[in-house]
């Protein structure tokens, strides 16, 4: 609502108001339940977990979905 009124006022002042592009269609949302954290941590080799702990004091606290576009290709 506030954005609409701001745009209307800007148009009244003669400012150029650009249209906001709609977000591209989102990738399909996977609704399957996520695995338990313990299962995911078990998939990481023990030596890698040890190094992560030693270097970063890594602590695994949750399993979350990440959009595909956030991953490196």
């Amino acid at each position: 609502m506030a954005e609409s009124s701001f745009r209307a006022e800007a148009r009244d002042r003669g400012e150029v108001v650009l249209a906001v592009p709609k977000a591209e269609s989102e990738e399909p949302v996977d609704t399957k339940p996520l695995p338990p954290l313990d299962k995911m941590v078990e998939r990481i080799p023990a030596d890698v977990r040890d190094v992560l702990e030693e270097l970063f004091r890594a602590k695994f606290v949750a399993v979350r979905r990440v959009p595909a576009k956030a991953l490196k290709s």
Side-chain angles (χ1 to χ4, degrees):
M1 187 76 163
E3 183 177 356
S4 305
S5 65
F6 171 78
R7 288 174 172 276
E9 289 174 17
R11 254 192 305 274
D12 291 343
R13 289 190 302 263
E15 297 177 20
V16 178
V17 179
L18 300 176
V20 177
K22 289 189 176 185
E24 293 181 20
S25 62
E26 295 290 323
E27 58 190 59
V29 176
D30 189 4
T31 57
K32 293 185 291 187
L34 294 170
L37 179 61
D38 295 337
K39 279 250 197 228
M40 296 301 291
V41 172
E42 287 175 9
R43 292 175 57 181
I44 302 171
D47 56 334
V48 172
R49 281 184 291 185
D50 292 340
V51 171
L52 286 171
E53 171 63 28
E54 182 181 326
L55 294 176
F56 305 108
R57 299 288 183 237
K59 183 176 183 181
F60 300 102
V61 294
V63 178
R64 297 188 180 126
R65 292 193 199 289
V66 177
K69 63 183 176 185
L71 303 174
K72 289 184 178 179
S73 44

